Amino acid sequence: MESSSEGVARVGDGGVVEDPAHTEANAPEAVLPGAVVREAVVQETVVPEAVATAVSAIAPASLSPSRAGDFMQCPLLYRFRVIDRLPEKPSPAATKGTLVHAVLERLFDAPAAERTAPRAKSLIPGQWDRLRETRPEVLELFADDPEGERLAGWLVEAERLVERWFTLEDPTRLEPAERELFVEAELDSGLRLRGIIDRVDVAPTGEVRIVDYKTGKAPRPEYAEGALFQMKFYALVVWRLKNVVPRRLQLVYLGSGDVLTYDPVLADLERVERKLLALWEAIRLATETGEWRPRPTKLCGWCDHQAHCPEFGGTPPPYPLPVTLPVRAAESEGGAQGRMGPG
């Protein structure tokens, strides 16, 4: 299989290949034994309002794929989440994604021969109980469902997503090198990049593939580049940490049964690094001036912060940081530094 900086492949339901030059079906098994990864939400976790009011605001110190995406979508949203740390209600879709990811991660605790769809579905109740214990706010989702009918339907939807994964990958043939891997790298500029990779596979030849599960539907081809941004972010961090360009990036869309793959080259990662440095400079400038402008889009309809947004007649909270240049991390003398391991 040839590496390409341009080709994007899509594998639909039933294994129909739209671009045979860039698919798993054409890759040697010894080169690509398989993989899986999830969107990272690190450090900038949204906290309950009672806690947020007691926590001193601090200037942004690192960047994750989620928060980079927030700033590109709407700088004011980034401020609300990272600096103001305003509370957000759990959503059924996001919580379902968390549940499905937990199930698919735990499935690999079992011996290969026992990684079946029935076993995976049997893990759902226990992982849902665990999620309620660790994140009790998710109980709000079904507070108005005393008979449990909506919850039952929601859990059935999670089962369907888990089942669909077995039509896209064969877990009996996958042995992840890492799961839920925390990665962090400091660039020469001092910018720290960090995230959590759900699964990394390393071939006997040392080649790496990272894959991300999405419980929604695959985007249209014209929006594929935006969907791959997170994966290129992770590839950049791995390259900076290990001096290895991942062989393949793969997005598995459980909602539609599609697989999106991309084979990066070094020039891709260098472009992403330049983009992130420009993005971080814009974040630094906004932090310094206190000017976080809203950027209205169709996504505003799902935003939890309309009451604080000028586009909806709201007023942002008083800016909690002094309008001065934030302290920047000292540049490392030996190039990029970082770590790979538990967060």
Side-chain angles (χ1 to χ4, degrees):
M1 181 183 64
E2 295 179 355
S3 176
S4 169
S5 61
E6 301 297 331
V8 173
R10 185 181 300 275
V11 183
D13 289 313
V16 178
V17 179
E18 298 182 9
D19 182 356
H22 300 281
T23 64
E24 183 174 354
N26 293 277
E29 284 294 325
V31 175
L32 293 175
V36 189
V37 192
R38 182 170 50 146
E39 182 178 359
V41 179
V42 237
Q43 106 164 357
E44 305 93 337
T45 304
V46 177
V47 296
E49 188 170 9
V51 177
T53 56
V55 177
S56 298
I58 57 174
S62 63
L63 200 57
S64 72
S66 299
R67 300 293 80 88
D70 286 344
F71 189 85
M72 290 187 289
Q73 176 186 327
C74 174
L76 186 59
L77 174 64
Y78 177 96
R79 177 200 149 171
F80 287 156
R81 285 179 166 170
V82 177
I83 296 178
D84 298 296
R85 285 180 277 182
L86 298 181
E88 295 183 354
K89 296 179 181 179
S91 74
T95 305
K96 189 189 307 171
T98 301
L99 175 61
V100 170
H101 278 91
V103 169
L104 297 184
E105 181 198 355
R106 292 272 69 85
L107 181 65
F108 284 99
D109 290 339
E114 298 177 19
R115 298 170 193 161
T116 63
R119 183 184 181 99
K121 290 195 295 182
S122 74
L123 296 174
I124 291 178
Q127 291 303 312
W128 172 235
D129 290 341
R130 181 174 177 271
L131 185 59
R132 289 185 299 176
E133 293 174 1
T134 58
R135 294 177 53 189
E137 65 271 17
V138 301
L139 294 174
E140 300 174 17
L141 292 172
F142 305 103
D144 58 348
D145 183 36
E147 301 300 322
E149 295 180 1
R150 283 201 304 112
L151 173 59
W154 183 83
L155 291 172
V156 168
E157 292 172 358
E159 288 185 355
R160 290 172 181 164
L161 293 172
V162 169
E163 284 183 310
R164 181 167 286 155
W165 178 61
F166 286 83
T167 69
L168 303 173
E169 291 193 291
D170 181 359
T172 67
R173 301 177 66 184
L174 304 176
E175 290 299 338
E178 300 286 354
R179 285 176 281 156
E180 291 291 327
L181 176 67
F182 175 79
V183 292
E184 181 180 64
E186 183 174 303
L187 305 182
D188 294 338
S189 65
L191 171 60
R192 280 191 294 127
L193 304 178
R194 61 195 313 187
I196 298 175
I197 302 178
D198 276 343
R199 198 177 93 205
V200 178
D201 284 357
V202 180
T205 55
E207 293 176 295
V208 174
R209 182 171 69 165
I210 55 179
V211 185
D212 184 46
Y213 283 132
K214 299 293 185 186
T215 48
K217 297 181 179 180
R220 295 198 298 268
E222 59 266 33
Y223 298 113
E225 183 61 31
L228 284 167
F229 171 76
Q230 170 196 345
M231 306 303 288
K232 292 180 180 180
F233 185 110
Y234 289 137
L236 170 61
V237 176
V238 171
W239 170 52
R240 281 300 195 173
L241 287 173
K242 297 294 186 180
N243 198 31
V244 172
V245 176
R247 182 72 172 86
R248 172 156 289 184
L249 311 178
Q250 183 165 300
L251 286 157
V252 180
Y253 287 93
L254 303 177
S256 57
D258 292 308
V259 176
L260 184 66
T261 64
Y262 186 87
D263 297 342
V265 295
L266 182 57
D268 290 327
L269 308 188
E270 291 173 337
R271 282 193 293 270
V272 171
E273 182 169 331
R274 289 193 296 270
K275 179 176 183 177
L276 291 173
L277 290 174
L279 187 67
W280 187 248
E281 179 61 22
I283 292 173
R284 185 199 62 77
L285 183 60
T287 304
E288 175 187 359
T289 62
E291 295 183 6
W292 302 87
R293 298 181 180 180
R295 183 176 297 146
T297 67
K298 294 180 180 179
L299 297 175
C300 292
W302 286 274
C303 183
D304 281 339
H305 308 303
Q306 294 180 9
H308 296 289
C309 180
E311 294 295 322
F312 291 86
T315 302
Y319 191 53
L321 294 176
V323 184
T324 56
L325 185 68
V327 177
R328 299 181 66 178
E331 293 187 0
S332 60
E333 297 180 359
Q337 297 182 356
R339 56 193 171 121
M340 296 180 70

